[in-house]
Amino acid sequence: MISIKDIAKKAGVSISTVSYALNRSSKVTEETASRILAIAKELNYVPNAAARNLKRRETKIIGAFLTDYNGVFYGDLLQGMKEVLNKNGYDLIVCSGKQSHRLLPEKMIDGAIVLDALFSSEELLLHADRGHKLVVLDRELIHPNINQVLLDNKAGAGLAVEYLIEQGHRKIYIVTGPPDSFDSNQRLQAVKQTIDRNQPIECISIQGKFDKLSGEQAAHQIMQDYTEPVAVFCLNDEMSIGMYNAVQKSDFRIGEHIHLIGFDNMELTQYTQPRLATIDYSKHKWGSIASEQLLKLIACEEVDQERIYVTLIQGDSVHPV
Amino acid sequence: MISIKDIAKKAGVSISTVSYALNRSSKVTEETASRILAIAKELNYVPNAAARNLKRRETKIIGAFLTDYNGVFYGDLLQGMKEVLNKNGYDLIVCSGKQSHRLLPEKMIDGAIVLDALFSSEELLLHADRGHKLVVLDRELIHPNINQVLLDNKAGAGLAVEYLIEQGHRKIYIVTGPPDSFDSNQRLQAVKQTIDRNQPIECISIQGKFDKLSGEQAAHQIMQDYTEPVAVFCLNDEMSIGMYNAVQKSDFRIGEHIHLIGFDNMELTQYTQPRLATIDYSKHKWGSIASEQLLKLIACEEVDQERIYVTLIQGDSVHPV
DNA sequence: TTGTATGCGTTATCAA
DNA sequence: TTGATAACGCATACAA
């Protein structure tokens, strides 16, 4: 490996002069600097990150921790993060799985954005206690080193239920996420409030896991108990698509017997027949705001709470009853 | 930050003893070792990656470089990579964009898997020349430090065209990828061979860019020139979906006027009506083999060429004519 | 303006 | 079995 020592030798100067030159310090003559830079280029010099990080005590890398790589959902989110980070001289790396958590305490990254229910809050708080800066997208955590950028779940769930009610539905199934999911619980809470305000409504909740299979299973239960047209609010699109798949294989029809709405506006929902109603929000904005907040935390700037707003996407999966 | 020095002081031993104990060396008493480990845990000691990397000259991290984060396609691929890497004590990080290329020469990662046409071959060869180990998934590069794991594009394209021909089609449009795409060119070559073997066939090729928009534009051209039912082979599903979208908005019907097949078996293709025919292959296997090859390269083991096999997925987007 | 010297936290060599 | 000490490559305070 070629180091500043080699450049120094070849240029006939000391390593500190080389270091200054490479870091564009004004402490060195324009002349010697350009000579050193030329030699560096000639020798294909690339600074060693480990050595630099050791001294600087920062890596200029931010980690995004996701549950998995099924980026159907994550593409825009990560793009939003990356654009902001790159603009500020940081790189983004995407990680998944418990094994990669080490990157934070070992100081391979300067901060993390977390959207992964499998990353426990205890662990996150521990890291925050040790001085690491975090932004979380899927929970509320009160800590000076942690900021949260959350979806306006309550508004979204309210919009969805109100839409069903406006269309005349009075029997509504709710397919929830896992009991420990922050998003699921927030949405569920808003659902209950909205329904309470619009009594009488028959509301039946079915526990799901935010995955396709849950949606299929819920569909089977609903079809088994079927007596009259019903509305279903799946608390995410993944389950909504699972339900769509299951219903497609039956004699029931989405938008006729089963009126369906989801949450997330996954691209796929616009390709189903009929189009699945859902709740939309800008994933790109979500990512970029998360990055901005993290950079503020790192810079020890004042940072307030940001929220991501949502809108209703109507679809033929919901018709008036 | 808490370092081995602190542990040494508290344990009343030297830092080298601490280092041995932490690295489970047999050079230290069971007794002192456990005492040191206890203190390390008590102090919440975490080794500093930068210092370790500097000495060890390796990070146990592998980077995957992708064109973007639209993981619709990448989810399984990355999962396959990760499983193999984790099992072997490596972590996977996912990167995108030119800025992150620095991680390789700066030695923040021990190797890279590349699926990104924007990562130039010249640059890759340069890195390989400097001793970095690479696996490429989207080109052929002859270099001792580079291995390629490629799709069997020729078989796939052959299968697709034969399928169309078997169904009686004699007028076939080909929508290609960018002119510099390795996959596109390989597929196109196989298309031509297959068509040559089955003359007479009218073959019209339209240049695309592997994105949805290209598919839409090709669709408009085809519909404008329409005189009789035609078959279309889009060299990837992304364009196939774009074409589907455009045709849906017209009076033409997929599987009736325009018979369509793509390549990649994106999840979305099974949700369209009718289901889009395509060419399938295991993305998971692709990723895991890529990782295996890279690990062999790093271990300086013998490494031969692997190929990812493909199969035909029939769909109602293609009917007999 | 340039050079000398020190330290970042760890591993590893060599003595003790 | 343990300890002192020298690297690893770079940045920087201080001296020249």
Side-chain angles (χ1 to χ4, degrees):
Chain A
M1 215 184 88
I2 156 101
S3 77
I4 54 170
K5 214 181 273 181
D6 304 295
I7 302 178
K9 194 177 294 176
K10 183 145 188 173
V13 297
S14 78
I15 60 163
S16 47
T17 309
V18 175
S19 180
Y20 288 136
L22 292 174
N23 291 306
R24 304 263 186 280
S25 163
S26 58
K27 313 181 74 172
V28 74
T29 332
E30 181 66 40
E31 192 185 326
T32 45
S34 62
R35 190 163 54 88
I36 288 171
L37 257 44
I39 294 178
K41 173 155 283 179
E42 181 195 339
L43 295 181
N44 286 324
Y45 169 76
V46 180
N48 178 297
R52 178 160 31 73
N53 298 341
L54 187 57
K55 273 306 271 190
R56 286 214 218 268
R57 305 167 148 274
E58 65 173 4
T59 63
K60 291 284 178 186
I61 297 176
I62 299 299
F65 291 83
L66 305 179
T67 310
D68 55 43
Y69 293 118
N70 285 314
V72 194
F73 176 79
Y74 298 137
D76 281 345
L77 184 76
L78 293 168
Q79 188 62 31
M81 291 184 199
K82 186 170 97 76
E83 285 170 10
V84 170
L85 292 176
N86 283 355
K87 209 170 294 174
N88 288 275
Y90 284 80
D91 275 311
L92 175 70
I93 65 176
V94 185
C95 312
S96 178
K98 195 156 181 76
Q99 191 168 138
S100 61
H101 293 183
R102 70 172 177 102
L103 300 184
L104 193 57
E106 291 186 355
K107 299 179 89 47
M108 290 265 336
I109 55 182
D110 293 346
I113 300 174
V114 179
L115 177 55
D116 177 8
L118 303 177
F119 207 138
S120 79
S121 294
E122 291 71 43
E123 195 186 344
L124 290 172
L125 286 168
L126 211 69
H127 291 142
D129 273 339
R130 296 186 192 160
H132 301 286
K133 314 292 189 175
L134 305 172
V135 167
V136 292
L137 308 186
D138 60 353
R139 71 197 78 194
E140 253 171 340
L141 247 34
I142 308 303
H143 192 289
N145 284 335
I146 304 182
N147 183 260
Q148 44 248 283
V149 181
L150 302 173
L151 292 179
D152 196 343
N153 284 309
K154 295 187 180 172
L159 282 173
V161 173
E162 276 164 17
Y163 178 48
L164 296 177
I165 292 172
E166 273 167 20
Q167 301 296 310
H169 296 284
R170 290 295 175 270
K171 177 171 181 178
I172 303 179
Y173 284 92
I174 309 295
V175 187
T176 72
D180 57 345
S181 158
F182 176 79
D183 286 326
S184 174
N185 291 334
Q186 275 211 323
R187 289 169 199 176
L188 193 56
Q189 196 184 329
V191 165
K192 285 180 179 156
Q193 285 174 5
T194 311
I195 284 180
D196 281 348
R197 278 200 302 273
N198 289 275
Q199 287 299 353
I201 288 184
E202 185 183 355
C203 176
I204 304 149
S205 96
I206 300 177
Q207 166 120 2
K209 293 179 181 171
F210 271 168
D211 59 359
K212 282 205 190 67
L213 184 60
S214 306
E216 291 173 28
Q217 291 170 338
H220 291 131
Q221 177 180 334
I222 290 168
M223 292 189 289
Q224 199 148 25
D225 299 348
Y226 190 86
T227 55
E228 58 185 328
V230 296
V232 183
F233 177 21
C234 288
L235 295 189
N236 80 354
D237 276 347
E238 193 79 17
M239 298 194 295
S240 177
I241 289 164
M243 178 162 295
Y244 168 86
N245 288 341
V247 173
Q248 285 297 105
K249 288 182 191 137
S250 74
D251 292 332
F252 292 93
R253 289 285 151 260
I254 296 283
E256 186 180 339
H257 311 101
I258 296 176
H259 299 260
L260 181 58
I261 186 169
F263 200 117
D264 283 343
N265 193 22
M266 281 173 53
E267 186 189 14
L268 222 159
T269 58
Q270 55 190 289
Y271 286 94
T272 57
Q273 304 281 355
R275 195 227 189 281
L276 298 176
T278 186
I279 300 296
D280 185 39
Y281 50 87
S282 170
K283 285 126 195 127
H284 186 278
K285 191 166 182 181
W286 198 11
S288 50
I289 290 185
S291 284
E292 286 168 5
Q293 299 288 86
L294 183 56
L295 292 179
K296 282 184 197 162
L297 271 179
I298 290 175
C300 295
E301 287 175 24
E302 200 65 35
V303 37
D304 38 40
Q305 301 295 332
E306 292 281 353
R307 189 169 294 286
I308 306 301
Y309 295 101
V310 303
T311 56
L312 170 71
I313 304 272
Q314 304 194 357
D316 283 332
S317 64
V318 176
H319 276 152
V321 75
Chain B
M1 214 184 89
I2 157 100
S3 78
I4 53 171
K5 217 180 271 181
D6 304 295
I7 302 179
K9 193 176 295 175
K10 182 144 189 173
V13 297
S14 78
I15 60 163
S16 35
T17 308
V18 174
S19 180
Y20 287 136
L22 290 174
N23 291 305
R24 303 263 186 278
S25 163
S26 58
K27 312 182 74 173
V28 74
T29 332
E30 180 66 40
E31 193 186 323
T32 44
S34 61
R35 190 163 54 90
I36 289 171
L37 257 44
I39 294 178
K41 174 155 284 181
E42 182 195 337
L43 296 181
N44 286 324
Y45 169 77
V46 179
N48 178 297
R52 178 160 31 73
N53 298 340
L54 186 56
K55 271 308 269 193
R56 284 214 218 267
R57 304 166 149 274
E58 65 173 4
T59 62
K60 290 286 179 185
I61 297 176
I62 299 298
F65 291 83
L66 305 178
T67 310
D68 56 43
Y69 293 117
N70 285 315
V72 195
F73 175 80
Y74 298 136
D76 281 345
L77 184 76
L78 293 169
Q79 188 60 33
M81 291 183 199
K82 184 169 98 77
E83 286 170 10
V84 170
L85 292 176
N86 283 355
K87 210 170 293 172
N88 289 275
Y90 283 81
D91 275 311
L92 174 71
I93 65 175
V94 185
C95 312
S96 178
K98 196 160 181 75
Q99 190 168 139
S100 61
H101 293 186
R102 70 172 176 101
L103 299 184
L104 193 57
E106 291 186 355
K107 299 179 91 45
M108 289 265 337
I109 55 181
D110 294 345
I113 300 174
V114 179
L115 177 55
D116 177 8
L118 302 178
F119 207 138
S120 81
S121 294
E122 292 70 44
E123 195 187 345
L124 289 172
L125 286 167
L126 211 68
H127 290 142
D129 273 339
R130 297 186 192 160
H132 300 285
K133 314 291 187 174
L134 306 172
V135 168
V136 291
L137 307 186
D138 60 352
R139 70 196 80 193
E140 253 171 341
L141 247 34
I142 308 303
H143 192 288
N145 285 335
I146 304 182
N147 183 260
Q148 43 247 284
V149 181
L150 302 174
L151 292 179
D152 197 343
N153 282 311
K154 295 187 180 170
L159 282 172
V161 174
E162 278 163 14
Y163 177 49
L164 295 177
I165 292 173
E166 274 167 20
Q167 300 297 311
H169 296 284
R170 291 294 174 272
K171 177 169 182 178
I172 302 179
Y173 284 93
I174 309 295
V175 186
T176 73
D180 56 345
S181 158
F182 177 78
D183 286 326
S184 175
N185 291 334
Q186 274 210 324
R187 290 170 198 175
L188 193 56
Q189 196 183 330
V191 164
K192 285 180 179 156
Q193 285 174 6
T194 311
I195 284 179
D196 281 348
R197 279 199 304 274
N198 289 275
Q199 287 298 354
I201 288 184
E202 185 183 356
C203 176
I204 304 148
S205 94
I206 300 177
Q207 166 120 0
K209 292 179 182 172
F210 271 167
D211 59 0
K212 282 206 189 68
L213 184 60
S214 306
E216 290 172 30
Q217 290 169 337
H220 291 132
Q221 178 180 333
I222 291 169
M223 292 188 289
Q224 199 148 26
D225 299 349
Y226 189 87
T227 54
E228 57 186 329
V230 296
V232 183
F233 177 21
C234 288
L235 295 189
N236 78 355
D237 276 348
E238 193 78 18
M239 297 193 295
S240 177
I241 288 165
M243 178 162 295
Y244 168 87
N245 288 341
V247 173
Q248 284 297 104
K249 289 183 191 137
S250 74
D251 292 332
F252 293 93
R253 290 284 151 259
I254 296 284
E256 186 179 336
H257 311 102
I258 296 177
H259 299 260
L260 181 57
I261 185 169
F263 201 116
D264 285 342
N265 193 23
M266 282 174 53
E267 186 190 13
L268 221 159
T269 59
Q270 57 190 288
Y271 287 93
T272 57
Q273 302 280 357
R275 194 226 190 282
L276 298 177
T278 187
I279 300 296
D280 185 38
Y281 49 87
S282 169
K283 284 127 196 126
H284 187 277
K285 191 167 183 180
W286 198 12
S288 50
I289 290 185
S291 284
E292 286 168 7
Q293 299 288 86
L294 182 56
L295 292 180
K296 282 185 197 162
L297 272 179
I298 291 174
C300 295
E301 287 174 25
E302 199 65 35
V303 36
D304 38 40
Q305 301 295 332
E306 293 281 353
R307 191 169 292 286
I308 305 301
Y309 296 101
V310 303
T311 56
L312 170 70
I313 303 272
Q314 304 193 356
D316 283 332
S317 64
V318 176
H319 277 151
V321 76

